[in-house]
Amino acid sequence: GINGVSDRLGADAFIVPRGYGKKAEGALLRGEPSAFYLSSSALAKIAKMEGFRRTSPQLFIASLDSSHCSFPVQLIGYDPVTDFVIAPWIASAAKGGLEFGDVVVGNLIDAEEGDKLMFFSSAYRVAARLDKTGTGFDTSVFLNMETARAALREYLYYTGGDVPDAEHAVSVVTADIEDGVDPAALAREIHDVYRGDGIDIIRTQEIIGGISRNLRALLAFVISLVVIFWLLAAAVLAILFSAMLNERKNELGIYRILGAPRFRVAAIILVEASIISLLGALAGAAVFCLLVLPFRTLIDLSMALPYVQPSARTAALIVAAGVGISFLSGPLASLRSALGARSASVDAVEGAE
């Protein structure tokens, strides 16, 4: 889920006003409502920058927690002509594009196609709902740039704010870096050359890299716990099977007296262990499904990280792997006892004689 986030963000870099990098990350990754704007002079310089294959503007507007808005949410305006980040998602959801006054809502927004949403006392028609992305897009509302600028005028009216040249205001410029250009070197050049122009650049890999590092550390910790618990479980099973063998020496001896070969006695122990392990593995998988599947949305939200649940196929493979490992644990733990059962049954036979 984490590895696909950078692809879902759709751009190599985001050019933002200086000092607003964290707010831009919050809006992109977690859908945190933000409103900030680049100056027109900065926009003119961005357009002349070398090293970018394509760029496109986005306009961020934070709706209000008041009677003038349905709910506080991040509104994102995009240019349907040049956009390469949001437009592909919109095109798959709203086949005919967006008209003035239409919006597309993220997957976690409580609205369906045809509903009316109120933002700054204007009603907007929900044209479509996006598929889940695992980013801040899931809790954002999207408008074409014409509709977004109308919403910005109302936003400034209700908040009393002032944005120079509001008719051409832009919050973020998304950019794809040309092949062969070193992203780190380009970022350093922008920081040095355009230091006085109030712009900054954040690279997608920098955003995802920090999240990935934190999650890798967490994952290593979780895997360590899983291995420790698995080894403890295997040790407990081995002790239990050994104790069971001691209690059943006479029974196993009777099998030998009745003519069962030694390998058959060992097979009985392994088959019993396999049946117990299979039932335990299936019970564990059932508990997992009961705990995880109904609460997958809650898990997503509680993580507070860009994340997409694995596909049904991947989840099925994970469950199957868990069942397989659990199933094998029992026979492996009982193998020593099963091999020991051969000599134990011989001792029991001699004792009976």
Side-chain angles (χ1 to χ4, degrees), residues 42-328:
L43 287 175
K45 292 190 175 183
I46 292 171
K48 298 177 181 178
M49 288 182 184
E50 296 183 356
F52 293 129
R53 183 168 66 249
R54 53 183 177 176
T55 60
S56 183
Q58 291 182 359
L59 180 62
F60 288 1
I61 306 166
S63 67
L64 306 177
D65 186 8
S66 70
S67 58
H68 301 294
C69 298
S70 297
F71 36 70
V73 72
Q74 179 70 68
L75 305 178
I76 301 179
Y78 73 102
D79 184 353
V81 177
T82 61
D83 186 85
F84 55 92
V85 175
I86 299 171
W89 294 96
I90 302 292
S92 63
K95 303 298 184 183
L98 298 184
E99 301 293 335
F100 181 81
D102 287 350
V103 299
V104 172
V105 298
N107 189 264
L108 297 181
I109 298 292
D110 186 16
E112 299 296 336
E113 184 175 344
D115 289 351
K116 293 286 186 177
L117 298 179
M118 186 72 69
F119 295 117
F120 315 114
S121 297
S122 293
Y124 296 84
R125 186 183 72 89
V126 177
R129 188 176 185 179
L130 292 184
D131 292 333
K132 188 168 180 59
T133 67
T135 68
F137 292 168
D138 291 334
T139 54
S140 300
V141 174
F142 303 93
L143 320 83
N144 62 30
M145 196 60 78
E146 181 185 7
T147 306
R149 297 207 183 282
L152 176 61
R153 288 192 291 269
E154 291 192 346
Y155 167 79
L156 296 176
Y157 172 78
Y158 281 107
T159 60
D162 182 31
V163 176
D165 196 13
E167 291 302 316
H168 301 91
V170 168
S171 301
V172 171
V173 175
T174 60
D176 262 357
I177 298 174
E178 290 182 351
D179 295 336
V181 175
D182 181 9
L186 180 62
R188 287 195 298 270
E189 180 183 351
I190 290 174
H191 285 305
D192 294 340
V193 177
Y194 301 97
R195 186 183 301 274
D197 295 302
I199 63 175
D200 207 346
I201 181 172
I202 54 176
R203 293 186 292 137
T204 301
Q205 291 305 316
E206 288 179 349
I207 302 174
I208 304 305
I211 298 171
S212 296
R213 284 190 295 274
N214 293 335
L215 285 176
R216 286 193 188 101
L218 176 62
L219 185 61
F221 175 72
V222 171
I223 289 176
S224 299
L225 286 180
V226 169
V227 171
I228 290 171
F229 281 121
W230 180 78
L231 292 175
L232 286 174
V236 169
L237 286 173
I239 293 171
L240 288 175
F241 281 119
S242 178
M244 181 185 70
L245 174 63
N246 289 331
E247 294 293 328
R248 298 174 62 186
K249 282 184 178 180
N250 291 335
E251 175 192 342
L252 299 175
I254 292 173
Y255 291 149
R256 291 286 289 130
I257 292 172
L258 294 176
R262 293 182 180 183
F263 76 85
R264 180 63 58 83
V265 175
I268 290 173
I269 301 297
L270 290 175
V271 169
E272 289 180 358
S274 299
I275 293 173
I276 294 171
S277 292
L278 179 60
L279 293 175
L282 294 177
V287 171
F288 165 80
C289 292
L290 288 174
L291 291 178
V292 174
L293 296 182
F295 301 102
R296 57 191 303 164
T297 300
L298 178 62
I299 293 171
D300 283 356
L301 295 175
S302 64
M303 287 181 68
L305 291 169
Y307 173 75
V308 175
Q309 289 277 3
S311 65
R313 179 176 178 274
T314 302
L317 290 174
I318 292 172
V319 172
V323 170
I325 293 172
S326 300
F327 168 70
L328 291 174

